[in-house]
Amino acid sequence: PVQGAMVDIGTAYGISWRSAGLAAGAFASNSISTAGESGSFTAGGLPGNAFVLNNGSPWTPDAELDPTTNAVIKIQVTTPAQDTDVMTYSDSFTLRGLKVLSPNIGTNWIIGGQGTVAFLSAGMGPGAFANLYYSTNGVDYDLANPIAQNVPVSDGLNVVPWNIENAPALTRTPSTNASVMAVCGAYSHKSKPFKLSGIRITTPKSTDIWAVSDLTNTIRWVAVDAAASFNLQYLVWESPINWGNPKTNGVVAVGAAGASYDWTMTSDALGSNVAIRITDGTYTTTSEVFQIIGTPGVQIANPKSGDFWKTTETNEIRWIKAGSMSNDFWLAWSPAPYTVTNVLAVGSFPYSDGM
């Protein structure tokens, strides 16, 4: 590359050189430094045995190279022996991209604690911003709930503190194969797998409505590095919610094992602001806020009060299954004063996550 060239990490590129006075059968090794001529050199995806008279070689920079504005390629003749004293460096250029350094293999962060996300960047340009995302498996990232948004990005090391969420509104899911991804425009990089310890209740969710007359509903959770015994309780708040002062609370289970518990509900747990709290003595977390009603029913989620829908446009009617309510019924609408019923559909309706 020429001085100041932009070479994208992980993208096919071609290096070229010129030579004179070398043997016709000369070969050379290629290596790269991300810290100029005085830095350490590695293969970085470059050809280790290039025929010199080809005057060039294809190159895809290794995806794990550090982004830098001071990359240099070294060419060293390896054969024949009389030419091995011939060596040269390219001009410095930019390896453009991102690389997450922290978390890394061996990192163990805790839900409710703090981690520090660190990443290298080069060539993103002035005014660049990055988003950071979490994944439990390194494949499916929670794009709806970024760790951080619009983080100013500069060449070199970027550091972002992360207060790892542990609240009813959002609790991260613990995992032994967790990953953080940094994204800046068209460029992204995923961290090495790390461990996120703690507990997260996965059921109930905020869209759930349980019915006491159904008697039993299953509470489910995911735990990493937790004890084998869990205590659970329910909490009921009035509206607006005062987190420190629930109206009602009670024991759900003492010494529950595994990753689920079948809870026989009581009328004391009725409410529109209900949550389940779980602890193993070390980690404690609270579920999303959900509802418990007396008997099964249906709650319309969309349209909501105050919505404006326009004729000729298509809008989606959404409802939540409350308790063990059947999904066989008719759906209709009526204009004020609600004396005429216009049936839209009759039959069995599919649900996705209770909606």
Side-chain angles (χ1 to χ4, degrees):
V2 298
Q3 178 74 38
M6 292 282 185
V7 178
D8 288 343
I9 295 172
T11 301
Y13 187 83
I15 62 171
S16 60
W17 59 82
R18 291 181 180 177
S19 64
L22 299 178
F27 283 82
S29 67
N30 296 267
S31 55
I32 185 170
S33 164
T34 57
E37 294 183 11
S38 61
S40 60
F41 284 80
T42 61
L46 287 160
N49 194 33
F51 185 49
V52 171
L53 291 185
N54 280 343
N55 292 325
S57 175
W59 173 44
T60 299
D62 190 291
E64 292 304 313
L65 281 170
D66 289 350
T68 179
T69 57
N70 193 24
V72 170
I73 290 175
K74 178 174 71 174
I75 301 178
Q76 173 77 57
V77 175
T78 55
T79 57
Q82 69 265 24
D83 290 333
T84 56
D85 60 333
V86 177
M87 184 264 293
T88 190
Y89 297 97
S90 73
D91 291 332
S92 64
F93 61 96
T94 294
L95 272 176
R96 183 164 51 188
L98 302 170
K99 183 179 181 180
V100 179
L101 301 179
S102 174
N104 206 337
I105 294 173
T107 298
N108 186 6
W109 289 344
I110 296 173
I111 293 172
Q114 187 178 76
T116 300
V117 179
F119 63 94
L120 293 173
S121 170
M124 295 297 103
F129 293 89
N131 294 341
L132 305 176
Y133 301 99
Y134 173 72
S135 170
T136 59
N137 57 15
V139 177
D140 304 304
Y141 287 83
D142 188 356
L143 303 182
N145 298 293
I147 295 169
Q149 283 183 293
N150 298 324
V151 176
V153 175
S154 58
D155 290 338
L157 183 64
N158 299 265
V159 177
V160 181
W162 178 24
N163 294 315
I164 303 170
E165 297 87 348
N166 183 18
L170 175 62
T171 297
R172 298 295 179 179
T173 302
S175 173
T176 58
N177 193 35
S179 175
V180 169
M181 177 173 66
V183 179
C184 180
Y187 299 89
S188 65
H189 188 265
K190 301 175 181 180
S191 75
K192 299 293 187 183
F194 72 101
K195 183 190 291 185
L196 185 62
S197 298
I199 309 170
R200 180 189 173 220
I201 295 173
T202 56
T203 304
K205 302 185 293 294
S206 61
T207 54
D208 286 341
I209 303 176
W210 289 357
V212 170
S213 64
D214 289 340
L215 299 181
T216 299
N217 270 293
T218 302
I219 301 167
R220 294 182 172 85
W221 59 89
V222 177
V224 171
D225 279 352
S229 178
F230 302 90
N231 296 337
L232 295 92
Q233 67 176 144
Y234 68 86
L235 304 102
V236 183
W237 292 273
E238 294 180 330
S239 294
I241 295 176
N242 179 355
W243 294 110
N245 187 27
K247 178 183 72 173
T248 308
N249 64 83
V251 174
V252 172
V254 175
S260 65
Y261 181 80
D262 291 333
W263 177 33
T264 302
M265 295 171 292
T266 66
S267 59
D268 292 339
L270 288 170
S272 57
N273 299 307
V274 185
I276 304 297
R277 183 165 292 163
I278 186 171
T279 183
D280 72 331
T282 299
Y283 305 118
T284 300
T285 194
T286 303
S287 74
E288 298 175 12
V289 175
F290 68 108
Q291 296 183 56
I292 296 180
I293 61 177
T295 56
V298 170
Q299 183 180 98
I300 295 176
N302 195 45
K304 299 181 292 294
S305 177
D307 283 354
F308 289 89
W309 286 5
K310 184 179 179 181
T311 57
T312 72
E313 291 183 349
T314 299
N315 289 282
E316 188 176 66
I317 301 170
R318 296 170 66 84
W319 58 91
I320 300 171
K321 181 178 180 179
S324 60
M325 179 71 184
S326 167
N327 64 339
D328 288 299
F329 47 84
W330 55 267
L331 178 66
W333 70 278
S334 178
Y338 315 116
T339 56
V340 177
T341 299
N342 301 280
V343 176
L344 295 174
V346 179
S348 178
F349 296 88
Y351 284 92
S352 174
D353 289 332
M355 184 75 72

